[in-house]
Amino acid sequence: MTAYRLAQLDEKHDVSSFDCGEGSLSNYLRSEAQNAQASGEARTHVWLDADDRVVAYFTLMITRVKKNDLPRQLGIGRADIPGFLLAKLAVASDLRGRGLGPDLLLDALSTIVRGADAVGGRVIVVDALPHEKVHAFYASADFKEIPGSYTLWMKVSTAREVVAAA
């Protein structure tokens, strides 16, 4: 695990200088995450360094996935499958290349597992952007492709096993 402290985003966190090198992810944290948090639309969790600087974050949302988009055994008897959207995940540019992404993803999966234990949910989905490195990152972490899209999925039970093994 890392030396960074995980916290739920709140107004005391200074996100104004956060830059992960991907404009849409940096801008989301700087200008949209607080509003999504306040409205209850999403929850953003940040990593803080020893100086309380935000160095990474992930955003989670509740979602429903159409059963036709996932393997048949997940959608039997349901029109939609309840789950979680890993909407955003980013590490600050100055920390990239240090292998922190898998630890941040593990924190996100741990948070999802706790949520699933509290409210249910069978699947985790993530949009890997039209970016091969992002897609490969999630695929290497046991996420499976949804054919014809940039979306990948994982069963919550798989996430539970990954978290338990860490």
Side-chain angles (χ1 to χ4, degrees):
M1 296 306 288
T2 71
Y4 301 107
R5 185 169 39 91
L6 182 65
Q8 194 168 120
L9 179 67
D10 66 31
E11 61 279 347
K12 73 180 178 194
H13 297 126
D14 179 11
V15 297
S16 62
S17 63
F18 182 83
D19 181 17
C20 67
E22 173 64 45
S24 65
L25 293 173
S26 298
N27 290 336
Y28 176 82
L29 182 62
R30 291 190 306 249
S31 62
E32 298 176 47
Q34 286 287 3
N35 289 336
Q37 191 98 338
S39 72
E41 176 183 311
R43 290 292 177 252
T44 295
H45 303 263
V46 296
W47 268 1
L48 302 168
D49 67 10
D51 297 322
D52 283 339
R53 179 178 75 107
V54 174
V55 297
Y57 81 97
F58 60 87
T59 300
L60 304 173
M61 303 171 80
I62 298 296
T63 193
R64 290 178 162 241
V65 181
K66 292 180 172 129
K67 76 176 183 178
N68 294 336
D69 289 341
L70 294 172
R72 200 176 147 99
Q73 70 269 23
L74 282 175
I76 293 174
R78 299 187 180 271
D80 295 321
I81 297 147
F84 301 86
L85 173 63
L86 176 49
K88 311 285 183 197
L89 186 135
V91 175
S93 293
D94 61 332
L95 297 178
R96 289 174 84 177
R98 297 184 187 184
L100 297 174
D103 286 343
L104 183 61
L105 179 58
L106 183 61
D107 275 351
L109 294 177
S110 297
T111 303
I112 290 168
V113 166
R114 287 190 304 276
D117 289 345
V119 301
R122 296 182 55 203
V123 68
I124 303 162
V125 293
V126 62
D127 184 356
L129 304 169
H131 195 288
E132 282 300 316
K133 286 178 88 174
V134 174
H135 186 276
F137 170 76
Y138 288 111
S140 72
D142 292 328
F143 280 82
K144 311 292 184 225
E145 292 182 18
I146 294 178
S149 74
Y150 293 107
T151 305
L152 294 97
W153 67 276
M154 173 189 283
K155 288 199 261 184
V156 169
S157 60
T158 301
R160 190 174 280 110
E161 292 169 5
V162 168
V163 169

